[in-house]
Amino acid sequence: MKSHTPVMEIKTRRQFRSELGSLEVPLIRPKPSVVLVYSRGCPPCEQLRPQIAALAAGPYRDRVAFFQLSYPILKLLQPNIEIQFVPALFFLDGHGGQTRLYGTDREKIKQGFDSLLFVTDKVFSEVFDSQAS
């Protein structure tokens, strides 16, 4: 049986347009969103993906929309977006604001989530740290 994940994988232009619209143009969204850009075979990406999924299934469920897409798909769909390296996270606040960060630094990721909405540090820490290996 296929497991359900609260993080939607974007694979097509139609999905991208329907769910995200654009990462180049500030858009008002129905709720804040987090977009993970990863690369296959990237150890930090593989470390971060289950941590983001745990946050999506836990304290941020129903408050934040979670998406992920591979770097090649992002470059195909949004060629003008500059990505320094992966993993890259886009925090879209729902009002057109966007924060971008790179890597797996826990404190920076927490700041990105805090820019979307407030969830106590203890909740964030328990979920995020429980996924760390």
Side-chain angles (χ1 to χ4, degrees):
M1 177 170 21
K2 192 174 184 180
S3 65
H4 173 72
T5 177
V7 181
M8 177 185 277
E9 179 81 26
I10 302 291
K11 295 182 179 179
T12 67
R13 186 176 306 277
R14 178 180 288 174
Q15 276 183 306
F16 190 88
R17 294 285 180 227
S18 170
E19 299 296 335
L20 294 170
S22 174
L23 294 176
E24 296 174 312
V25 177
L27 297 173
I28 295 176
R29 301 170 191 285
K31 64 181 171 179
S33 301
V34 174
V35 180
L36 169 63
V37 179
Y38 67 92
S39 182
R40 297 194 192 286
C42 161
C45 299
E46 294 306 314
Q47 172 192 351
L48 187 58
R49 288 175 75 183
Q51 294 171 339
I52 295 298
L55 291 168
Y60 296 93
R61 179 186 18 228
D62 301 325
R63 297 183 193 166
V64 177
F66 287 82
F67 304 96
Q68 63 184 17
L69 67 158
S70 68
Y71 177 74
I73 296 290
L74 175 71
K75 290 313 285 178
L76 178 68
L77 301 176
Q78 300 271 252
N80 295 328
I81 296 276
E82 293 289 328
I83 298 286
Q84 294 174 359
F85 57 89
V86 292
L89 285 164
F90 290 80
F91 295 93
L92 313 170
D93 71 7
H95 303 288
Q98 182 182 116
T99 304
R100 189 182 317 180
L101 68 90
Y102 301 97
T104 59
D105 182 274
R106 182 189 173 284
E107 285 305 311
K108 288 182 181 177
I109 293 170
K110 182 186 179 317
Q111 289 171 1
F113 277 95
D114 285 347
S115 74
L116 300 178
L117 51 103
F118 178 77
V119 174
T120 68
D121 182 49
K122 184 176 180 187
V123 171
F124 179 90
S125 298
E126 288 173 359
V127 174
F128 197 79
D129 293 343
S130 72
Q131 295 299 311
S133 298

